[in-house]
Amino acid sequence: MADKFTVSLCISGSDINEIAIGNAQRRGARDYQEDSFGYTPLEKAESEGFAAVVADGMGGLSAGDQVSAYAVSAIIEMCSQIGSISPVHTKFRQMISAINREVVRGESGGGCTAAAVFCRGDGVYWCSVGDSRIYIFRSGIIFQLSEDGDYQNRLLDDVIAEKLTYEDMLENEKKDSLVQYIGSKDEPEPDVNVLPLIPQSGDRILICSDGVYNALSLEEMSRALSNPAREAADALIEEIVKKNYENQDNNTAVVLEFI
């Protein structure tokens, strides 16, 4: 169920020379697997940079598995063309826009969320659309890097502007509805970082579908991520299996360990 590889990649401003990769995936209680994941061919990582992607086909939309698989392959291919081009966040936005147009043009009716991390010599960049997430685990503490593309974040803007109370936001039945996803007729606006993250030795970055973080607490995720990359990915999925949730969603985890 899991694989581990290591790529050589030096990142300026740090002592990083390698990235170890772990991944694990299960179907959960579903009859089908709509999650997809992938990463840059290892032999190309040093020259082209390294991209890792998780995409989650959206339940309720047809062809979710096909759209998620297409999104993963397209993002990896487009990341291979970034090279030393800056700014990366602009390329990410153009990339998601192009992929979305292709999906809508295909008229499959399918959609997916996606989270991608791109590593090159000047640091780490990320891009997310929807509620697939990116976390960093550093010095025993886990932080969410990406922002969910759901209605709740729009409601939070109203809370900040004092147009809505926090309690009213929590009671809103639509708060978990996605407003950003690939396959939308409205142009998606991905969450991206403008300045690169400079990793520290021992950092882990987790890219995962919502079937992971909805099943586990931050404490449980942190405990799993304290392991090396392959063991960390396995541990996350094993923890989910132990829960034995009746309606467990597909769950996919990709872990990058900076060495």
Side-chain angles (χ1 to χ4, degrees), residues 16-185:
I16 303 302
N17 296 301
E18 294 182 332
I19 304 173
I21 311 146
N23 65 72
Q25 181 183 67
R26 285 185 69 89
R27 195 175 64 191
R30 302 296 173 87
D31 294 329
Y32 42 82
Q33 175 61 266
E34 291 192 318
D35 286 0
S36 299
F37 71 93
Y39 34 78
T40 302
L42 305 187
E43 67 275 9
K44 296 182 178 181
E46 191 168 358
S47 59
E48 297 180 356
F50 178 76
V53 189
V54 170
D56 181 358
M58 293 169 59
L61 295 183
S62 62
D65 56 341
Q66 298 173 36
V67 174
S68 68
Y70 167 70
V72 168
S73 62
I75 290 172
I76 291 171
E77 173 60 28
M78 291 180 182
C79 280
S80 72
Q81 301 169 18
I82 292 178
S84 60
I85 295 173
S86 293
V88 174
H89 65 91
T90 299
K91 298 300 294 182
F92 268 147
R93 291 191 176 101
Q94 293 171 347
M95 178 192 312
I96 296 301
S97 179
I99 293 170
N100 188 72
R101 286 197 303 271
E102 247 344 271
V103 172
V104 172
R105 188 179 298 123
E107 298 184 344
S108 68
C112 74
T113 66
V117 169
F118 178 60
C119 308
R120 67 179 190 181
D122 62 338
V124 177
Y125 298 86
W126 70 81
C127 171
S128 70
V129 186
D131 60 358
S132 290
R133 288 182 180 177
I134 302 164
Y135 292 88
I136 185 170
F137 178 73
R138 173 178 291 178
S139 301
I141 301 173
I142 189 170
F143 302 93
Q144 183 180 340
L145 293 176
S146 59
E147 181 178 286
D148 294 346
D150 58 17
Y151 189 51
Q152 179 167 302
N153 275 310
R154 292 188 177 179
L155 293 173
L156 280 171
D157 289 338
D158 288 340
V159 173
I160 293 170
E162 298 183 346
K163 297 178 181 179
L164 185 73
T165 68
Y166 187 75
E167 291 73 19
D168 286 340
M169 181 205 72
L170 292 177
E171 292 175 2
N172 192 297
E173 295 180 355
K174 297 182 179 180
K175 68 179 185 300
D176 295 324
S177 301
L178 291 178
V179 295
Q180 304 291 341
Y181 61 92
I182 292 172
S184 170
K185 292 183 179 179

